[in-house]
Amino acid sequence: MLCGEMVATEEALLERFAPWAEEVRRLAEARDAVILAHNYQVPWIQDVAHFVGDSLELSRKAAETPAREIVFCGVHFMAETAAILCPDKRVLIPDLDAGCSLAATIDAESLRAWKAEHPGAVVVAYVNTTAEVKAESDICCTSSNAAAVVNSIPADREILFLPDQFLGAHVERVTGRKLHVWMGECHVHAGIGSQELQDLVRSEPDAELLIHPECGCATAALYLAGEGVLPADRTHIVSTGQMIRRGREEQAEGGRFIVATETGILHRLRKENPAAEFTAANEAAVCRYMKTITPAKLIRSLREGVFEVTVPEEVAVRARAAIRRMVEIG
Ligand code: 13P
Ligand code: SF4
């Protein structure tokens, strides 16, 4: 494609974005709705949202918003978390099919069976779980506070950590605690391997490595950093929100970053840090669930008030206690 054609396409897109964004904001205001978007959402959705963030930041925003409605542009467990935290608000998701392959690796029945094998153990559930699983758990965590949550539990208590095996291995490493870890994984992050990281580091030797703890390569990356194959002082295992903050801190020096997570985050990283360069560790790391939320579906959600996410109160009351404990820890 010629450069001129590409610019024309971008201009045409921008021309379409402005009226769409205006309509979205007008409808949101009329409904008294706040639009929350996860860092993996498509660029238009991120750019129109009132707030963009990681799982923990979005839970916090949901809990404190004065708006009457929350339109959640993310996946279903995130909207459920908002509904649990805000029982007096209506929570909408533009597409109910926005699931999560990691959350689908464990259900409440399997968790009850696992608990029965370890009576008295503390159950730590990553937020990427259904409301029913959270209701069976003692405390939730996200990728940004998992180690702090585990450290808050007395050292003599047995811990069941679920459902992500790579995050579990990372938390064991950081806290020095031995956990019972559920062997679930996210199909997007499990697919980011250490070989592509090593190849990229060879071609960009000065880059910082930002690796999400759900990545299949996280353990190998730290091992390779210890062996001197990857740069130890520039290898960071971080949540999506921490990636954004790290980009901000380093951008003044025109930093270079290799980013190992879902590629949707590159939009925000590049927009907020124009002086820095960001390369995806794996261009194919795209979460189809996050991408089911489209601009057309967001408009429909706001026009028609669909699709409401609700959690039965008997489930919500127990799940809320686990989520609140997490939010208090930070
Ligand atoms: P963060 O909490 O880091 O945003 O991660 C959420 C998620 O779904 C990762 O795949
Ligand atoms: Fe779930 Fe993975 Fe998608 Fe995150 S990237 S929402 S963990 S399937």
Side-chain angles (χ1 to χ4, degrees), residues 40 75 77-78 99-103 128 186-189 214 262 287 289-290:
Y40 298 158
V75 291
F77 75 80
M78 296 178 177
C100 169
S101 61
L102 175 57
N128 295 43
C186 149
H187 70 291
V188 179
H189 287 86
E214 280 176 28
E262 211 274 352
C287 174
Y289 301 111
M290 285 281 178

Side-chain angles (χ1 to χ4, degrees), residues 6-22 43-44 47 267 271:
M6 202 156 79
V7 171
T9 310
E10 272 174 23
E11 273 171 8
L13 273 173
L14 278 174
E15 258 171 47
R16 283 166 53 202
F17 175 76
W20 171 83
E22 215 171 281
W44 276 27
D47 290 349
H267 171 68
K271 188 173 152 187

Side-chain angles (χ1 to χ4, degrees), residues 170-185:
H170 174 64
V171 172
E172 282 188 319
R173 210 169 28 235
V174 173
T175 63
R177 300 273 295 260
K178 186 78 199 99
L179 313 173
H180 299 283
V181 179
W182 190 259
M183 295 306 278
E185 63 180 31

Side-chain angles (χ1 to χ4, degrees), residues 205-224:
D206 299 329
E208 298 252 333
L209 298 180
L210 303 179
I211 303 169
H212 196 277
E214 280 176 28
C215 285
C217 64
T219 301
L222 286 181
Y223 169 76
L224 292 169

